[in-house]
Amino acid sequence: MNWKAARIVAAFTVLVLLHFTLRPLLGWRAGPDFLLIALLLASVRVRPGAAALIGFTLGLATDSIALTGFGSAAIAMAIIGFAAAWLKAVFFADNLALNLFFIFFGKWGFDVAYLLLEQRVRGIELVQELLLYSPLAAAVTALVGVLTLVILRPLLDPVAST
């Protein structure tokens, strides 16, 4: 493993640890999703099949602590990982505004897929989740994701690895 890959794996690991340690302490209704940030960080650097596998694995980690809807997060994260890796060639660049929208729509897409696959919430509650809480969580996740990218830029900078 080269030095750049090791740095990306380290950043990925820190984000996963933050998801399972810091996020429960925050207790926010629309808190940041560090797993999704980690998934998008990895997905834009690998092929779509590998990104789907990473997403599926992260989703299983999320599902392992959930009481209902086992497999919903795994499928939703696999879809988001695959889509992110596939779309990276179309519009992914080193632009913070573009990354903000990329993370926002990634998180919102994950929430939509997860809620529809889980089938726990129905009716007006589903509409409220999809149109109020999911966009709020996506906005918070996008802001934290861009802040993370700014902080990790020296670590992930492709020029610094040479």
Side-chain angles (χ1 to χ4, degrees):
M1 182 182 312
N2 63 16
W3 180 241
K4 182 180 177 187
R7 293 184 295 181
I8 292 170
V9 168
F12 180 86
T13 304
V14 167
L15 287 168
V16 170
L17 289 174
L18 283 174
H19 184 80
F20 290 111
T21 57
L22 179 63
R23 189 170 188 234
L25 294 176
L26 295 175
W28 296 348
R29 170 87 170 139
D33 191 346
F34 293 108
L35 277 186
L36 190 87
I37 296 168
L39 173 63
L40 293 175
L41 176 75
S43 293
V44 298
R45 289 167 172 81
V46 297
R47 292 181 179 228
L53 185 61
I54 292 168
F56 186 78
T57 305
L58 289 176
L60 280 179
T62 301
D63 283 336
S64 67
I65 58 174
L67 298 176
T68 60
F70 186 78
S72 301
I75 293 171
M77 285 242 186
I79 292 168
I80 295 301
F82 183 85
W86 187 72
L87 288 173
K88 75 176 176 190
V90 177
F91 68 89
F92 190 78
D94 194 27
N95 182 338
L96 289 180
L98 199 55
N99 282 315
L100 182 87
F101 287 115
F102 187 69
I103 295 170
F104 177 85
F105 286 113
K107 171 62 176 161
W108 199 7
F110 167 75
D111 284 347
V112 168
Y114 179 74
L115 288 170
L116 293 177
L117 287 168
E118 186 183 36
Q119 298 180 355
R120 180 181 49 89
V121 183
R122 298 180 194 275
I124 193 69
E125 293 175 0
L126 178 63
V127 172
Q128 181 181 0
E129 283 287 329
L130 292 176
L131 298 179
L132 179 64
Y133 292 116
S134 291
L136 285 174
V140 170
T141 300
L143 290 174
V144 170
V146 168
L147 180 65
T148 302
L149 288 175
V150 168
I151 292 170
L152 294 177
R153 183 169 275 172
L155 182 69
L156 302 175
D157 188 15
V159 177
S161 66
T162 58

